[in-house]
Amino acid sequence: MTYQQYPPQGGYPPPGAYPPPGTARNPSGATGIIAGILAILGGVWFLSGLVWVIILLVDRVRSHYIVGGILDLTVGVVLLTGGILLLRRKSAGRMLVVIGAGAGIFFGIVLVVLSATGADFSYAYGGVSAVYGFLGLIIQLLIPAIATIVLALLPPTGRWLAAGKQPAVFMPPQNFGHPQPPPGYPPAGYPPPQQGPPPGQW
């Protein structure tokens, strides 16, 4: 007895042609994560500078110590908050990181200018980096701050943050089973009726 063969069905991809259900390709967050970590470390560094200023104030109260302490506190809190929010993929964290690092660079340059001009008024700022002079300020403040800003503003960081705002899209699993036969198959009267008595009555 011959059976009519169904025609092969096209358009069905083999198993494994699609990604697993519910998965999506996310952009790399390496630049954003590194920027967030640097911002947190910078925030801790400036807050440690506040501790240094408090120690100086215990020995001798000076107005420029107070100014430096306020700047250390402000920049440290902004950087620390921005770094935490950035690691949580919040756009506000990116903005705070750039503002905090930019403020750190600006006040550091002002400190260098005041020191170079021999001004009587200068402030303790940037932790113990001010103690180490100009070279210490560059290595411990300016270079990390510039790197933090660059990493936070890179396009991959923006794409990583944008992807974190999008809700996860669930993709239902693909049916890779046997396809249904097209209309008209099998033809009417198929399979043909059996001839003779049933096999149990032979």
Side-chain angles (χ1 to χ4, degrees):
M1 180 182 299
T2 60
Y3 293 93
Q4 184 174 357
Q5 300 293 328
Y6 295 122
Q9 301 297 315
Y12 292 91
Y18 292 109
T23 59
R25 185 177 180 182
N26 292 325
S28 173
T31 56
I33 293 174
I34 296 174
I37 294 174
L38 287 177
I40 291 175
L41 293 177
V44 173
W45 175 258
F46 279 102
L47 292 180
S48 69
L50 175 62
V51 175
W52 173 253
V53 170
I54 294 175
I55 295 175
L56 294 177
L57 287 173
V58 171
D59 180 62
R60 180 181 300 177
V61 177
R62 292 289 184 270
S63 59
H64 56 272
Y65 290 169
I66 298 176
V67 173
I70 294 175
L71 294 177
D72 278 337
L73 176 62
T74 303
V75 177
V77 170
V78 172
L79 281 175
L80 190 61
T81 305
I84 294 174
L85 292 178
L86 184 58
L87 292 181
R88 297 184 62 185
R89 303 178 77 169
K90 304 295 183 180
S91 298
R94 185 187 193 188
M95 180 180 62
L96 289 176
V97 166
V98 173
I99 293 175
I105 294 174
F106 173 76
F107 293 125
I109 293 175
V110 172
L111 176 61
V112 172
V113 171
L114 290 176
S115 300
T117 56
D120 294 333
F121 175 79
S122 62
Y123 48 81
Y125 169 74
V128 294
S129 61
V131 178
Y132 295 146
F134 178 70
L135 182 60
L137 193 67
I138 291 178
I139 296 175
Q140 300 174 15
L141 176 62
L142 298 183
I143 293 179
I146 293 174
T148 303
I149 293 176
V150 172
L151 290 171
L153 293 179
L154 284 177
T157 302
R159 290 193 293 266
W160 177 64
L161 293 174
K165 297 179 181 179
Q166 299 175 358
V169 179
F170 176 76
M171 299 176 57
Q174 302 291 332
N175 182 13
F176 295 119
H178 296 288
Q180 297 295 328
Y185 289 91
Y190 181 85
Q194 296 180 354
Q195 303 295 331
Q201 300 179 6
W202 288 350

